[in-house]
Amino acid sequence: MYRLFQTHQIRKSITLPALWDLSIQGEKVTKIPVPSCVESIPAYSNYKGACTLETTQHFSGDLKLTFKGVGHTANVYLDGKHLGGHYGAYGEFSFILKDQKEDTHTIRVVADNSYTEDSALHIDNDYYSYLGITRPVLLEQLNKAYIQWIHITPVYTEDQWSLRISANVENISGESLDLKLRFYLSTSDNCVQNSPDVVGSIDLAVQLNASETKEFSCFMSCPQVTAYMPENPVMYFIHGHLTDASAPSEGQILDDLIERFGFREIKVSGDQILFNGVRMKLKGFNRHEDYAEFGSSVPLAAMQRDIMLIKDTGANCVRTCHYPNDERFLDLCDENGLFVWEEAHGRGLNEDRMRNPHFLEQSRLSITEMITEHYNHPSIFVWGLLNECASDTAYGRSCYAELIELIRSLDRSKPVTFASNKLLADICLDLVDIVSYNIYPKWYKNTPCDEFLAGCIEYIRANGGAGKPIIISEIGAGAVYGYRTNIRCKWSEEYQLDALDEQLSTVLNNPECSGVIVWQFADCRIDEGWFANRPKSQNNKGVVDMYRREKLSYAKVKEIFQTV
Ligand code: ADA
């Protein structure tokens, strides 16, 4: 089980070896766990470039090989034959392996984290693009057709919940198929058709031509279900079962997929964000996927510890800056009732960078993968994109407009936002449902927080953001862990505490703000090109360091989050 719940009872997974052979520049280096980052190997902690990861496995028939994340450009080979490539460390991709003969097969992945002209989103940046197979790999046995994904949209009308359920089914056989898709709504991921856990079901006819992929949808009404709320995060499961149309209901199931979700709706009403009708007041943290020596391949126990620390402060929200996260982290957020702002990949791209010929195509891919894979997480309340890009130029605006439309075409059930640092020059605020600003009074600017915030709000209201909710999506100050001094100067833990005290109190006491998200939860590694105002080659604005040791500010943020 690679998620925090069972995703299949029927489809069989083949376990791949835990250790794969790693070679760099043609030389065998060592065996390395998958998932992990190459930088975890001491001799390669500063290596940038290509590496090869290889494993063997015995299998036959039709299979699906899925990579949950490879940093950042991948080329995959089966028995020496190129299956295909993929760009972007934070998206899932897969290959259908047809008619494999009973044998031991070799899977080889060439991963590369170098910054080339072909890479529009992974650039020298204020976080680190790690190398390797950084998220899980799955190998699954398929039948003649399989369910690619199921998207579940809860709808609340006239005091009653119903669901819109859509599923994509792919026929991998060379013949047309007459199938049936049955959805069961259940309180459990482990159920049989007639068990008391099943609270509803619905059948769909599925006709597919040879090699065709098609989307099928239906509505299901759901009386007497419990809503998902952060303080009571009750979740349900949709089991999709694919059978031959002629098969009896208990007949042989060709494929299944189980998805978890919660009954909740997110609405923007005037300047408020409503979660199941309750006004959201966000108190949160920006969090990079980066953990001391593990890099971006954060172990599950460490993810859980982050969630516990975040909740311990009284925070209710996490922003997955600046890319889609490992779905196990999202699963944990779902279980812990934390609101999530999930963001497509993209940070700090100026107009020149947005004019990279690959920018739009790579951004579209990141958005599409994020929404396809993460659609059902009840914790996700907003989709974000393009943090601090050129939202102050006409060309930048055309990119924002196109990509925001793409998000809406993939999911109309959640609002859209982007985090802007263009302050009094942003020209894209009319495009989004929620306006979000990254502001650093008391750090990059010494202006008093209230004055700074008031100036931004005045600009927002007059420039496309009238009547919309406002989130302060970043605010904070740097502190080098352990540097304490009576002079309370910048980079000291004392200065960070003082700055966050004023910053957070100002935003949380401003009735026009729907909340604040601290930059940032934990310190993270950065590219060395950023060394000039980044001691230790880290972004030091965490309230804990890379080992999650608390700085003085941690207790202050906790005090504010629990009282204001
Ligand atoms: C930005 C950006 C972050 C980080 C932060 C900082 O607003 O979105 O990624 O770079 O500022 O530390 O300056």
Side-chain angles (χ1 to χ4, degrees):
M1 197 153 83
Y2 71 98
R3 296 281 297 274
L4 299 191
F5 60 94
Q6 182 174 227
T7 47
H8 305 281
Q9 288 178 296
I10 308 296
R11 194 190 296 174
K12 295 270 173 296
S13 249
I14 296 170
T15 311
L16 289 165
L19 295 174
W20 294 33
D21 291 313
L22 171 74
S23 323
I24 291 183
Q25 289 157 355
E27 298 286 319
K28 276 210 156 140
V29 175
T30 181
K31 286 194 181 290
I32 182 171
V34 165
S36 73
C37 294
V38 168
E39 288 82 353
S40 296
I41 302 170
Y44 290 91
S45 48
N46 215 15
Y47 174 75
K48 262 220 178 291
C51 72
T52 303
L53 291 128
E54 195 169 292
T55 193
T56 54
Q57 182 57 273
H58 199 89
F59 55 79
S60 63
D62 296 334
L63 305 105
K64 184 177 181 224
L65 175 63
T66 304
F67 293 87
K68 294 282 176 183
V70 177
H72 63 64
T73 293
N75 274 292
V76 181
Y77 301 80
L78 178 69
D79 299 326
K81 184 173 160 277
H82 189 223
L83 291 177
H86 179 265
Y87 173 77
Y90 315 110
E92 165 175 335
F93 59 100
S94 59
F95 302 98
I96 300 297
L97 317 180
K98 285 275 296 164
D99 300 325
Q100 297 301 309
K101 67 172 193 304
E102 170 94 54
D103 208 347
T104 298
H105 299 274
T106 305
I107 300 167
R108 179 151 50 89
V109 177
V110 179
D112 195 335
N113 71 343
S114 37
Y115 303 135
T116 65
E117 291 287 295
D118 292 340
S119 172
L121 307 180
H122 286 277
I123 57 166
D124 201 57
N125 222 327
D126 201 8
Y127 61 92
Y128 201 78
S129 286
Y130 288 92
L131 175 66
I133 303 178
T134 56
R135 293 181 185 172
V137 183
L138 307 177
L139 184 61
E140 297 166 314
Q141 201 81 52
L142 295 185
N143 223 305
K144 54 193 175 189
Y146 76 100
I147 308 167
Q148 279 185 343
W149 49 254
I150 300 176
H151 288 169
I152 305 151
T153 315
V155 183
Y156 193 66
T157 30
E158 293 169 9
D159 296 338
Q160 162 128 3
W161 285 103
S162 59
L163 295 176
R164 181 185 154 78
I165 311 173
S166 308
N168 233 32
V169 183
E170 180 176 357
N171 176 1
I172 60 166
S173 78
E175 58 195 66
S176 49
L177 297 176
D178 201 1
L179 306 174
K180 184 167 68 189
L181 182 57
R182 173 167 288 189
F183 296 118
Y184 296 93
L185 170 63
S186 173
T187 53
S188 155
D189 57 343
N190 185 13
C191 75
V192 286
Q193 295 173 19
N194 297 323
S195 87
D197 301 335
V198 175
V199 290
S201 73
I202 196 162
D203 282 353
L204 283 181
V206 169
Q207 268 129 17
L208 292 167
N209 295 325
S211 308
E212 190 184 15
T213 303
K214 221 155 114 183
E215 185 176 333
F216 299 87
S217 334
C218 62
F219 278 93
M220 185 190 268
S221 65
C222 311
Q224 290 167 350
V225 289
T226 307
Y228 176 101
M229 290 302 281
E231 58 285 358
N232 186 26
V234 175
M235 288 188 277
Y236 289 80
F237 299 83
I238 286 288
H239 296 239
H241 283 185
L242 201 58
T243 53
D244 275 320
S246 53
S249 57
E250 63 284 2
Q252 196 218 344
I253 301 167
L254 299 176
D255 189 49
D256 74 333
L257 178 62
I258 305 167
E259 274 293 341
R260 189 170 75 170
F261 72 101
F263 285 93
R264 61 97 182 84
E265 273 188 328
I266 299 117
K267 294 246 156 81
V268 168
S269 168
D271 67 355
Q272 304 194 356
I273 315 167
L274 305 178
F275 192 96
N276 276 345
V278 178
R279 184 180 184 188
M280 296 175 79
K281 183 84 180 176
L282 301 165
K283 300 173 183 180
F285 286 101
N286 286 279
R287 174 183 174 273
H288 269 296
E289 284 186 322
D290 198 349
Y291 202 108
E293 316 300 356
F294 298 117
S296 61
S297 194
V298 181
L300 184 66
M303 291 182 194
Q304 168 70 356
R305 167 128 171 95
D306 279 2
I307 301 244
M308 290 191 294
L309 283 167
I310 288 169
K311 288 205 72 162
D312 173 62
T313 63
N316 60 10
C317 165
V318 179
R319 173 171 171 231
T320 72
C321 53
H322 300 297
Y323 38 77
N325 272 202
D326 188 314
E327 60 198 334
R328 295 168 301 164
F329 181 75
L330 300 173
D331 283 346
L332 284 168
C333 290
D334 294 341
E335 295 198 3
N336 284 278
L338 276 177
F339 300 128
V340 174
W341 161 332
E342 171 131 283
E343 185 155 297
H345 189 199
R347 181 209 168 275
L349 307 171
N350 59 21
E351 181 168 326
D352 267 6
R353 293 221 181 253
M354 291 173 92
R355 285 184 181 275
N356 177 310
H358 302 285
F359 165 75
L360 277 171
E361 155 217 334
Q362 292 175 356
S363 296
R364 284 186 209 113
L365 181 67
S366 175
I367 287 170
T368 307
E369 288 170 342
M370 169 177 84
I371 298 181
T372 307
E373 295 310 319
H374 299 166
Y375 189 94
N376 298 321
H377 289 279
S379 55
I380 297 178
F381 76 97
V382 68
W383 297 120
L385 77 162
L386 299 180
N387 171 79
E388 298 191 350
C389 297
S391 54
D392 56 344
T393 73
Y395 180 75
R397 181 180 162 92
S398 71
C399 298
Y400 272 94
E402 178 188 326
L403 296 172
I404 289 167
E405 255 337 286
L406 173 64
I407 294 180
R408 293 200 173 116
S409 72
L410 295 167
D411 183 6
R412 290 204 174 269
S413 70
K414 299 179 195 77
V416 183
T417 193
F418 67 87
S420 171
N421 67 339
K422 297 300 176 269
L423 306 179
L424 309 188
D426 201 297
I427 57 165
C428 294
L429 306 180
D430 58 314
L431 299 176
V432 283
D433 305 300
I434 298 172
V435 173
S436 301
Y437 261 39
N438 297 345
I439 60 173
Y440 285 89
K442 309 233 33 111
W443 185 250
Y444 296 119
K445 312 234 170 6
N446 284 325
T447 339
C449 298
D450 47 359
E451 214 176 274
F452 196 91
L453 182 62
C456 291
I457 293 177
E458 196 186 326
Y459 177 86
I460 291 169
R461 295 302 184 213
N463 290 279
K468 294 185 180 182
I470 298 174
I471 297 175
I472 296 304
S473 36
E474 289 183 27
I475 203 160
V480 174
Y481 176 81
Y483 176 46
R484 299 193 184 175
T485 165
N486 288 339
I487 57 173
R488 303 183 91 83
C489 60
K490 281 188 175 170
W491 297 115
S492 70
E493 291 196 26
E494 289 83 354
Y495 186 89
Q496 186 190 41
L497 178 152
D498 294 343
L500 278 166
D501 190 5
E502 187 181 326
Q503 293 166 336
L504 298 185
S505 309
T506 304
V507 179
L508 287 171
N509 285 314
N510 188 312
E512 296 212 52
C513 294
S514 290
V516 66
I517 311 181
V518 173
W519 185 269
Q520 63 175 335
F521 169 61
D523 294 346
C524 67
R525 181 173 174 180
I526 59 161
D527 279 308
E528 269 182 59
W530 284 70
F531 77 96
N533 57 13
R534 297 283 186 272
K536 305 196 292 179
S537 274
Q538 291 178 14
N539 184 307
N540 295 287
K541 298 189 189 71
V543 297
V544 297
D545 75 351
M546 288 191 74
Y547 296 88
R548 278 45 178 175
R549 294 176 299 190
E550 293 166 24
K551 301 182 191 171
L552 290 178
S553 60
Y554 180 92
K556 177 51 78 181
V557 172
K558 181 170 174 175
E559 181 193 315
I560 297 173
F561 278 175
Q562 296 188 354
T563 51
V564 181

